[in-house]
Amino acid sequence: FSKEIRAIQRRPYQVPGADQHSPIVVTNNFGDKNSPPHVKLMRITFQNMFPAINVASVKLQNCRRVVLFNYSHQDKKDNDNGEEGEARDFVEVRHYAIKATPVGVNKKVRRLVQTKIPNLNNVEDISDYITGQTASGALAPSVAGGAMSDSEAEDETSHVVLPQKYAGKGNSKSQKSALKLVELGPRLRLKLYKVERGLGSGDVMYHAYIKKSLEEVKERKEKEEREAALKKQRRDEQNSNVERKRKAKEEKLERKKQKKRGP
């Protein structure tokens, strides 16, 4: 759906070649080993939807996308009418591209490095555009397209020193760059309704709307075991009847053959 998603976005962000490599999968708020079994199952399922990334051998320039699975759970609360409301239990999915921008470089120089060359017809020298003034000290004429819309990140926590060369001009090895997540879409909200062992015939591990006590679960399991045992008994009886009829038929044919042979 990448083409359809870009068609409805106001400012679609193109990431050439990013879909050729597996994204980084982030699961948030799924808890630890003490989480409910259905929450653990969701986390494992989401993690196995994408190929695993070997941290020891992966190339930094191949880490171009991030897929976020955020689990949101809220217990039932009374609504305005005093009635018990519905519990909120869903997973939100977001898809981002990782964008790296060199820091510590003049904004206008960075624009030139990234091949976003503005119209320089109104200035006599490129230094007039970079410094903002002419050789005589006067203010340089304004340059069309010279304003920088994507300013350098102010948050120091987003600045990292790249251990390897990364995608984009100016993102060289040992260069400090600012990382930014650009949402690609689509946005999804998923809700788990039911987890069942097998395909339509196993134990119900989780149900979003039907809750049963331990006694009810035990009674249902015993009933299923009785039905399975009765079904097996009937199958065994049917097989024994078929085998008995087959033997009787063979004995009858053998007696006919002996009559034809005579005494």
Side-chain angles (χ1 to χ4, degrees):
F1 301 104
S2 57
K3 293 183 180 179
E4 289 77 6
I5 294 171
R6 287 196 296 267
I8 62 176
Q9 288 179 332
R10 179 179 297 179
R11 296 178 180 178
Y13 181 70
Q14 300 289 344
V15 190
D19 55 352
Q20 298 178 2
H21 304 282
S22 304
I24 300 173
V25 180
V26 179
T27 54
N28 186 44
N29 287 337
F30 284 86
D32 52 11
K33 61 181 180 180
N34 297 324
S35 301
H38 70 280
V39 177
K40 295 180 183 178
L41 181 61
M42 282 195 296
R43 175 176 56 81
I44 295 173
T45 302
F46 292 141
Q47 289 176 341
N48 287 275
M49 287 173 60
F50 301 91
I53 296 177
N54 189 348
V55 180
S57 60
V58 67
K59 293 183 179 179
L60 186 62
Q61 58 184 358
N62 294 340
C63 302
R64 306 286 299 279
R65 295 180 297 142
V66 175
V67 176
L68 171 64
F69 295 94
N70 182 61
Y71 176 65
S72 178
H73 175 74
Q74 183 179 357
D75 295 332
K76 293 182 179 180
K77 292 184 178 181
D78 297 337
N79 53 27
D80 298 337
N81 299 328
E83 299 176 353
E84 191 179 48
E86 182 181 356
R88 299 182 60 186
D89 191 4
F90 53 84
V91 177
E92 290 188 292
V93 185
R94 296 292 185 269
H95 184 204
Y96 300 97
I98 303 176
K99 181 180 179 182
T101 305
V103 298
V105 182
N106 184 281
K107 298 179 182 179
K108 296 182 178 180
V109 175
R110 186 169 69 243
R111 184 179 181 89
L112 295 176
V113 171
Q114 295 177 341
T115 68
K116 301 176 182 179
I117 302 176
N119 188 353
L120 303 176
N121 288 334
N122 295 333
V123 295
E124 296 181 358
D125 190 86
I126 192 172
S127 61
D128 297 347
Y129 162 70
I130 296 176
T131 61
Q133 60 183 11
T134 61
S136 61
L139 293 177
S142 60
V143 176
M148 297 294 293
S149 59
D150 50 346
S151 60
E152 183 175 327
E154 296 293 340
D155 188 6
E156 292 290 339
T157 58
S158 65
H159 296 177
V160 296
V161 178
L162 301 176
Q164 301 176 14
K165 187 181 184 303
Y166 195 68
K169 293 190 176 182
N171 296 317
S172 303
K173 181 179 180 180
S174 302
Q175 167 70 38
K176 181 180 286 189
S177 298
L179 299 182
K180 179 182 179 182
L181 295 180
V182 182
E183 188 169 1
L184 297 177
R187 290 188 176 187
L188 301 177
R189 174 174 286 189
L190 310 178
K191 181 174 178 60
L192 182 66
Y193 286 98
K194 185 179 180 181
V195 179
E196 184 175 4
R197 191 188 305 275
L199 185 60
S201 59
D203 300 335
V204 177
M205 177 180 171
Y206 169 81
H207 202 292
Y209 299 107
I210 301 177
K211 306 295 182 183
K212 293 185 177 182
S213 63
L214 295 177
E215 291 76 9
E216 291 175 334
V217 173
K218 183 179 180 181
E219 182 181 354
R220 175 63 183 272
K221 189 173 182 180
E222 291 176 352
K223 181 180 178 181
E224 291 177 351
E225 290 176 353
R226 290 195 299 268
E227 292 177 351
L230 181 60
K231 187 176 181 180
K232 183 178 182 301
Q233 181 182 355
R234 290 176 178 175
R235 188 184 301 112
D236 294 340
E237 291 177 356
Q238 184 178 8
N239 292 336
S240 62
N241 292 334
V242 171
E243 184 66 18
R244 179 175 53 81
K245 292 179 180 179
R246 185 185 64 80
K247 289 182 178 180
K249 185 176 180 181
E250 290 178 353
E251 292 175 356
K252 185 176 181 180
L253 291 175
E254 185 66 23
R255 287 194 298 267
K256 286 183 178 181
K257 289 180 181 180
Q258 290 179 358
K259 283 183 178 181
K260 289 181 179 179
R261 293 174 187 170

